């Protein structure tokens, strides 16, 4: 994992997953397993609350899950939440949710957030049937959002 390799190299890593749905409850707190794995891989910098500040139980697009659960969904926090990491990290890894064209609001997509952050886009793909198609669709979507830097990395390097 990229976060683990960077942390093991001695870099101060920040990890941010702006929103997650399909979270599990533990001790009265919603936990995003993706955010937890990312945080652990990075050596547990900061606190888990700042890794993923908006968490919802329903396995739906985050803004829809929030509405269903009667909770607020803060579109501005999607962008502001990363500020916590700027003062604490040399490198900030941002994990999306569900794919570049997944909705994060009524008129907001993961691609919009990626564009707002201005970071290079890294597409991590599973090494399985259908990956080439999904990866190419993601790169086409990234081009439509005028992302200048794109990289692709297979999740596992061994052949199928």
């Amino acid at each position: 994992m990229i976060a683990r390799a960077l942390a093991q190299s001695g870099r101060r890593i920040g990890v941010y997953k702006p929103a997650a749905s399909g979270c599990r409850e533990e001790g009265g707190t919603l936990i995003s397993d993706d955010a937890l794995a990312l945080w652990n891989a990075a050596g547990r910098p900061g606190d888990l609350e700042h890794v993923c500040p908006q968490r919802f139980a329903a396995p739906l697009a985050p803004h829809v899950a929030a509405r269903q659960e009667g909770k607020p969904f803060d579109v501005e926090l999607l962008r502001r939440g990363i500020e916590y990491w700027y003062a604490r990290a040399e490198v900030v890894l941002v994990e999306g949710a569900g794919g570049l064209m997944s909705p994060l609001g009524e008129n907001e997509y993961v691609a919009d957030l990626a564009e707002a952050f201005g970071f290079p886009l890294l597409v991590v793909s599973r090494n399985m049937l259908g990956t080439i198609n999904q990866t190419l669709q993601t790169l086409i979507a990234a081009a439509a959002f005028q992302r200048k830097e794109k990289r692709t990395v297979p999740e596992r390097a061994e052949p199928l």
Side-chain angles (χ1 to χ4, degrees), residues 50-109:
H50 285 95
V51 172
C52 187
Q54 297 191 81
R55 298 171 310 280
F56 307 97
L60 304 166
H63 68 291
V64 177
R67 188 170 42 242
Q68 181 177 332
E69 295 173 23
K71 295 179 179 176
F73 183 74
D74 188 341
V75 174
E76 290 305 313
L77 180 56
L78 295 171
R79 289 171 171 73
R80 281 192 334 266
I82 199 168
E83 294 170 8
Y84 171 87
W85 296 106
Y86 288 149
R88 292 167 175 78
E90 300 169 68
V91 177
V92 180
L93 296 175
V94 180
E95 181 178 320
L100 201 57
M101 295 309 300
S102 293
L104 287 174
E106 295 300 328
N107 297 301
E108 183 88 13
Y109 297 90

